[in-house]
Every structure is written in C-alpha cells, then in structure tokens.
Amino acid sequence: MEYTYTTIKWDEKSSISINNSKFIAMSFRVENIEDVKSSLQWVAFHHPKTSHICSAYLLRNGESKSDDAGEPSGTAVSPILNKIKSHEVVNVLVVVIRYFGGIKLGKSGLIQAYSFISNEVLEMSDKVSIEIMEDISVTAPYKHLNKLMRLLNRFKLTTESTESTTTMVTLHIKYPLKIKEEFVPDLLRFSKNI
C-alpha cells in the first residue's frame, strides 16, 4: 500500500520558439477535475488568440485525460502525458499553448516540440512528497473524551472539528494512512462502548 505520492510544489511556466511557432508550457498542481477545468479556463482566457491549447493530466486515482486541440492525433497529448508519467508525478496538469508561426513542423517535429517543452516545464517544477490522509469521525459518550484526547496525543493528531450534545461528543479527525491499522481500531473502541 502506498502512503505517499509525488506531485509538484507549485505551478511553473516555460517557452520555446521553433520555426516561428511559439510553444508555452505550464504545469499546474491539481487535486481534482474541477481544478483541471479551472486551470484550462484560465489558460484559454489569457491566451485567446492561440492556435492550439493542448493538455494532459494525471490524477492520484489514476484518472487521466488529454486533448490534442486540433493538432494531428498523438502529436501533442502522447508526448505531454508520457512526460508526466516519466517524471512519476500525479495530480498534475500540463498545458502547452502553441502560437503557429506559418511553417509546418510535421508530425515528428510536433512530437519533438511537445515532448521537449513538456519535459522542460516538469524539470523546472519542484517535486514534493505528500502524505496520504484519511478522514474519520467517531461519536462517543463524554466520559471517554479524555481517553480519546490521550489517544490523539499519542499519535500527535488533532481534531478537524467537533460536535456535541449534552451526553455525546463527535470528533472529526484527519490522520495519515500509514497509521490506520494501529490507530483506527483503538479509536473505534470508544464508539463501540456507547
């Protein structure tokens, strides 16, 4: 089981010119499809006169999608997605904007250009390892609150939020996946004693 994943720290940008065509690559850290859509809308808004906005993303859950945006099939998205995979990062969107300069590059020229600029922007993007977290809620009688807090202290955790009634307390907790087997059974003991 994996307890961490690698992504990029922050967004980056790189550009090259080949035979009068300008290629601008941007890497975005994304968490979900909504982030992908938002980033693509931002790019389209800031580059309304571009010839092509090609993109590919890979999420932690394995979901990926790419868009050639009018370039010959496989000349843009395959190189972009392959570079994301070769850098072994997830939750990443790479967008390459092309301003056509009037000289056709041919299929192999396009593949080389999209591959080069995608690799360059990912090389520039600092990588970071993220610990995978899970959420859990436990409801227990108030008489167990001190024991629950000692358990949280033992694992160096805090509550995300709490709810309470006159006799019960509910704790919402975020914890690292790597401690699940040790932490969750102890935590759930308190809710079983209701």
Side-chain angles (χ1 to χ4, degrees), residues 54 68 70-80 98 106-115:
C54 304
D68 271 317
E71 292 284 31
S73 179
T75 59
V77 297
S78 293
I80 297 170
R98 179 183 179 205
K107 275 193 165 189
S108 64
L110 287 171
I111 290 169
Q112 287 176 355
Y114 281 105
S115 183

Side-chain angles (χ1 to χ4, degrees), residues 5-120:
Y5 64 92
T6 304
T7 189
I8 60 175
K9 266 188 188 177
W10 45 71
D11 305 343
E12 281 293 348
K13 181 179 176 181
S14 181
S15 65
I16 56 168
S17 291
I18 302 172
N19 290 345
N20 297 329
S21 281
K22 185 171 185 180
F23 294 84
I24 304 167
M26 297 182 198
S27 62
F28 296 91
R29 181 171 167 178
V30 293
E31 298 296 324
N32 49 47
I33 299 299
E34 289 74 30
D35 288 351
V36 171
K37 289 177 182 174
S38 173
S39 297
L40 289 171
Q41 287 171 349
W42 183 90
V43 171
F45 178 80
H46 286 88
H47 294 272
K49 295 181 180 178
T50 184
S51 309
H52 305 278
I53 298 177
C54 304
S55 63
Y57 68 85
L58 180 60
L59 298 180
R60 187 168 65 89
N61 64 8
E63 184 177 346
S64 67
K65 189 175 180 183
S66 45
D67 183 3
D68 271 317
E71 292 284 31
S73 179
T75 59
V77 297
S78 293
I80 297 170
L81 189 55
N82 287 340
K83 288 302 173 186
I84 294 171
K85 290 177 179 177
S86 72
H87 280 265
E88 298 180 343
V89 289
V90 294
N91 286 6
V92 173
L93 164 70
V94 173
V95 179
V96 180
I97 302 140
R98 179 183 179 205
Y99 287 94
F100 182 58
I103 300 171
K104 292 191 175 182
L105 302 179
K107 275 193 165 189
S108 64
L110 287 171
I111 290 169
Q112 287 176 355
Y114 281 105
S115 183
F116 176 84
I117 196 65
S118 299
N119 187 64
E120 186 169 282

Side-chain angles (χ1 to χ4, degrees), residues 146-188:
N146 285 338
K147 291 178 185 175
L148 280 167
M149 296 314 289
R150 280 197 297 276
L151 178 66
L152 294 180
N153 284 335
R154 188 172 105 211
F155 287 97
K156 296 179 175 58
L157 299 173
T158 58
T159 58
E160 294 288 300
S161 62
T162 59
E163 300 164 22
S164 60
T165 65
T166 53
T167 58
M168 305 293 280
V169 62
T170 300
L171 305 178
H172 303 282
I173 304 157
K174 189 179 285 273
Y175 66 92
L177 184 59
K178 69 182 179 186
I179 68 167
K180 182 175 188 170
E181 289 181 18
E182 188 180 356
F183 171 67
V184 172
D186 282 354
L187 181 70
L188 294 181

